[in-house]
Amino acid sequence: DRATPGQVCVKLQPSDRHGHPLSSKSTLIRFAVRWTPFLVLLFIKPALGLYVVLLTELLTVCLRPDRRSLSSVLSHSKTSTHKQS
């Protein structure tokens, strides 16, 4: 669509599989899957929590053929560019 990298970065948004904005439920699931392990481990070993989240997301992206993260898979979402009206 001839967008520059800067334009693409500004227009990114989480969306469902059909390109529609995410529901509140999916947004909450996406946030919880990504950040709950970090918040729980924050009180035990802060650095470990961050590494667990990063490694889990990275491994999921590397192993899945569609390159979606664990939080995206569990919330049935993807990141897409925002469609202008």
Side-chain angles (χ1 to χ4, degrees), residues 20-72:
H20 301 105
L22 278 184
S23 67
S24 298
K25 180 182 175 184
S26 292
T27 303
L28 183 63
I29 292 170
R30 185 179 170 112
F31 179 83
V33 169
R34 183 167 287 163
W35 296 111
T36 300
F38 173 71
L39 293 174
V40 169
L41 290 171
L42 180 67
F43 297 104
I44 301 169
K45 285 199 166 197
L48 179 64
L50 184 60
Y51 289 129
V52 166
V53 170
L54 290 175
L55 286 174
T56 304
E57 293 282 336
L58 182 64
L59 285 173
T60 307
V61 168
C62 290
L63 295 175
R64 287 187 55 88
D66 60 359
R67 300 291 185 233
R68 289 174 57 208
S69 66
L70 180 63
S71 56
S72 293

